Amino acid sequence: MQLNPFSLADKHILVTGASSGIGREVAIWISKQGARVTLVARDVSRLETTLGLLEGNQHNLEVVDFLADTDISQWLKTVAKNSAPFDGLVHAAGVQMPMPIRATSLAHWEKIMSTNVTSGFSLIKAFRQKGVCNPASSIVLISSVMAQAGESALLGYCASKGAVEGMVRAAAVELAREGIRVNAIAPGVVQTELVDTLESLVGADSMKSIEERHPLGFGKAEDVAYAANYLLSPASKWVTGTALVVDGGYLA
């Protein structure tokens, strides 16, 4: 038995959305656990800031717009060839974009779906290619408790996260034969820039009401990072096709 099944030593992990919020915190934490990290986002200056916060060396960054670059599969194959095959993927890139139903346009809806759902599909498809990932690899998508609960002004976000969890279950069944595990993390409200955006729309009183529905209060990005560590590590080798809820008791 492995001495520390939670260790990520010598693991090569791809983290999207690594320029801020949950993605940045995941990257920082797993680097402390020994992982070699490839950071992905659209903003090079913010990625470089994240890179400077990581422990260890041999980390690298990739500036990619998943919606603009159509051949994600070829891109990821090239990254793996130039560095090393991956042992894990954490897809934390996403948008919330709160908007009342009456003001939600089709373009707004499609932007949420493309960013939160289509990008995840593209990455799963690319990651499973021969030469891109090592045996016993782990894919982790960031979902939300909003996949199972509703909130005003978040129709598109709730729908997209429900789709993410459905995609995780199907991919887990199909990719099990290839030795790839696929899971999601479903956080409650975590104190990031997205929360500030939501509060500006719904107001301080509504935000306080939302916080009160979290028995342990709002979470922090590091709470999600710890969960990602578990799902990426050998400790979760018998876990696939599930959404790990990390919500301070919100759904309870």
Side-chain angles (χ1 to χ4, degrees):
M1 180 178 292
Q2 186 172 340
L3 183 61
N4 178 11
F6 297 94
S7 173
L8 297 177
D10 301 320
K11 302 288 188 183
H12 185 198
I13 311 295
L14 179 76
V15 181
T16 75
S19 59
S20 63
I22 289 173
R24 172 176 284 175
E25 195 62 37
V26 167
I28 293 169
W29 175 254
I30 64 174
S31 76
K32 294 178 180 178
Q33 309 314 304
R36 174 185 178 185
V37 187
T38 293
L39 308 168
V40 178
R42 292 179 296 177
D43 190 319
V44 64
S45 63
R46 297 180 76 177
L47 272 183
E48 289 173 343
T49 298
T50 303
L51 186 63
L53 297 171
L54 304 187
E55 286 195 8
N57 49 32
Q58 295 189 318
H59 308 299
N60 60 293
L61 58 85
E62 293 280 332
V63 179
V64 177
D65 184 343
F66 293 111
L67 304 185
D69 294 291
T70 56
D71 194 0
I72 294 299
S73 291
Q74 185 56 51
W75 163 76
L76 195 54
K77 184 177 286 188
T78 301
V79 173
K81 181 179 179 180
N82 291 341
S83 53
F86 293 97
D87 300 286
L89 158 68
V90 179
H91 183 35
V95 294
Q96 192 176 76
M97 297 174 62
M99 186 70 66
I101 293 172
R102 66 180 182 276
T104 300
S105 66
L106 184 58
H108 184 99
W109 172 272
E110 290 177 343
K111 175 68 178 296
I112 294 173
M113 290 298 170
S114 295
T115 307
N116 293 353
V117 183
T118 306
S119 63
F121 156 71
S122 296
L123 279 165
I124 290 172
K125 182 179 180 181
F127 188 83
R128 62 148 303 278
Q129 296 176 103
K130 183 177 181 180
V132 172
C133 66
N134 289 317
S137 291
S138 173
I139 295 174
V140 180
L141 304 188
I142 302 301
S143 178
S144 168
V145 291
M146 293 303 136
Q148 301 182 52
E151 200 68 63
S152 295
L154 291 178
L155 175 64
Y157 185 73
C158 292
S160 71
K161 294 305 184 179
V164 166
E165 293 192 8
M167 183 165 59
V168 161
R169 289 189 291 271
V173 173
E174 184 170 340
L175 298 184
R177 65 178 71 100
E178 300 178 32
I180 300 172
R181 296 184 296 107
V182 188
N183 293 287
I185 299 172
V189 177
V190 175
Q191 293 171 328
T192 65
E193 295 93 331
L194 288 179
V195 173
D196 296 334
T197 302
L198 181 60
E199 183 170 359
S200 69
L201 180 70
V202 304
D205 289 342
S206 294
M207 209 64 197
K208 183 178 179 181
S209 175
I210 294 171
E211 183 172 14
E212 288 172 349
R213 297 206 295 276
H214 291 70
L216 298 182
F218 287 158
K220 296 182 178 179
E222 64 200 46
D223 297 315
V224 182
Y226 301 153
N229 186 159
Y230 167 67
L231 291 174
L232 291 168
S233 75
S236 61
K237 62 184 176 60
W238 204 48
V239 178
T240 195
T242 193
L244 177 57
V245 175
V246 183
D247 70 348
Y250 179 91
L251 290 180

